Amino acid sequence: MSIFTRTESFREFIRYYPMVSLIVSIHIILYLLTILPIFPNNWFFVNFSGVNLYIMEGEVWRLITPTFMHSGFSHMLFNSFSLILFGPALERMLGSGKFLFVYLFSGIIANLATLLLEPLTYTHVGSSGAIFGLFGYYIAIIIFRKKMMSQQNVQIILILSAVSIIMTFLQPKINIIAHLFGLLGGLLLGAIPYFNKKDLSDSIQTTASWASSQRKNISFQSPVKVLIWAMIIILAILGFWR
């Protein structure tokens, strides 16, 4: 069974994956605060969005708060869906504290790169940079600690990461910088403690062999299974289109 298949009850999910649950709860709460008429809705966007000019003027909290803000219901829903789908396995592997550190570090790196490489007038919200950081950490596991994941899960991560990067450059209104540097931040966090040249060389060869074999193996995959994962990948990628 894939480590990305969720079989827990709602209560079990919260107990097993407290950080994923907390982050998704913050997504939902902040979204509600921006739409319910009993709150000063625009205040949250004005003060929590990533605005490069304001960060340069000292509002440094904007390097993290945009990670929890979203521009609309679909944006919040699909990013939260992606986190629920791909976050729990990594939280279980790393522990809740380290998982939260990877998530926040990747989001900050994504927002910091946006500050340095985009114009001062650039404004952004969304958690996709942090979620790309999770993919980066998964890739580091594949490269340096591949025994921690089955071949099926390796396939899922590599395909999703490749398609997500491609779609980053094809879709309009994407914060390309955040996606790429979030991915890089997660990759570095996962790689630095375990890096050595032999593991890197062996993993490159293994990945190349796997890629060359897929044309032969794809005809033996269950059409239903392929369709289900294709739909999951499409839904996950939809969350990054901001």
Side-chain angles (χ1 to χ4, degrees):
M1 179 182 294
S2 168
I3 60 174
F4 305 116
T5 301
R6 302 269 58 86
T7 58
E8 305 90 356
S9 68
F10 181 72
R11 288 184 178 180
E12 289 173 337
F13 187 95
I14 294 174
R15 186 168 71 251
Y16 295 156
Y17 317 114
M19 289 305 151
V20 171
S21 302
L22 175 63
I23 294 168
V24 171
S25 297
I26 294 173
H27 288 180
I28 295 171
I29 290 170
L30 284 177
Y31 171 71
L32 292 175
L33 290 175
T34 63
I35 63 167
L36 295 178
I38 58 176
F39 299 104
N41 311 130
N42 195 50
W43 184 91
F44 294 96
F45 279 113
V46 169
N47 289 279
F48 289 170
S49 297
V51 183
N52 286 347
L53 177 61
Y54 296 159
I55 297 173
M56 293 297 292
E57 291 179 347
E59 298 184 4
V60 293
W61 66 84
R62 295 179 187 269
L63 288 173
I64 186 59
T65 52
T67 302
F68 301 98
M69 295 291 296
H70 294 89
S71 60
F73 177 73
S74 62
H75 192 201
M76 183 275 295
L77 177 66
F78 286 125
N79 272 344
S80 298
F81 170 79
S82 298
L83 182 58
I84 289 171
L85 188 61
F86 298 105
L90 194 58
E91 182 171 352
R92 179 61 64 90
M93 291 180 194
L94 301 180
S96 296
K98 190 173 181 180
F99 171 84
L100 182 62
F101 177 77
V102 170
Y103 188 85
L104 295 179
F105 177 85
S106 300
I108 291 172
I109 289 296
N111 293 333
L112 185 59
T114 300
L115 170 66
L116 297 175
L117 299 176
E118 293 287 0
L120 287 177
T121 54
Y122 192 82
T123 302
H124 61 97
V125 292
S127 59
S128 52
I131 295 173
F132 263 77
L134 303 186
F135 292 145
Y137 203 99
Y138 276 124
I139 293 172
I141 291 175
I142 292 169
I143 294 174
F144 299 106
R145 291 173 287 169
K146 50 184 173 291
K147 292 182 180 179
M148 292 181 64
M149 297 180 66
S150 69
Q151 190 64 26
Q152 178 190 16
N153 294 319
V154 169
Q155 285 181 284
I156 293 168
I157 288 297
L158 291 179
I159 292 172
L160 179 59
S161 298
V163 174
S164 297
I165 291 171
I166 292 170
M167 295 302 294
T168 292
F169 291 96
L170 296 181
Q171 295 299 317
K173 299 181 181 179
I174 294 288
N175 187 348
I176 296 174
I177 298 299
H179 285 200
L180 296 182
F181 278 86
L183 183 75
L184 179 62
L187 178 61
L188 289 176
L189 277 180
I192 288 173
Y194 302 96
F195 177 79
N196 66 69
K197 292 182 179 180
K198 184 179 183 301
D199 282 348
L200 181 60
S201 176
D202 290 347
S203 295
I204 290 173
Q205 293 177 9
T206 301
T207 303
S209 298
W210 169 80
S212 65
S213 68
Q214 291 312 294
R215 185 177 298 177
K216 182 184 297 184
N217 292 339
I218 195 167
S219 61
F220 297 100
Q221 296 288 329
S222 164
V224 174
K225 187 175 180 180
V226 172
L227 179 60
I228 291 172
W229 275 109
M231 291 175 64
I232 290 173
I233 289 172
I234 290 170
L235 286 173
I237 293 171
L238 283 172
F240 304 142
W241 292 2
R242 292 293 185 274

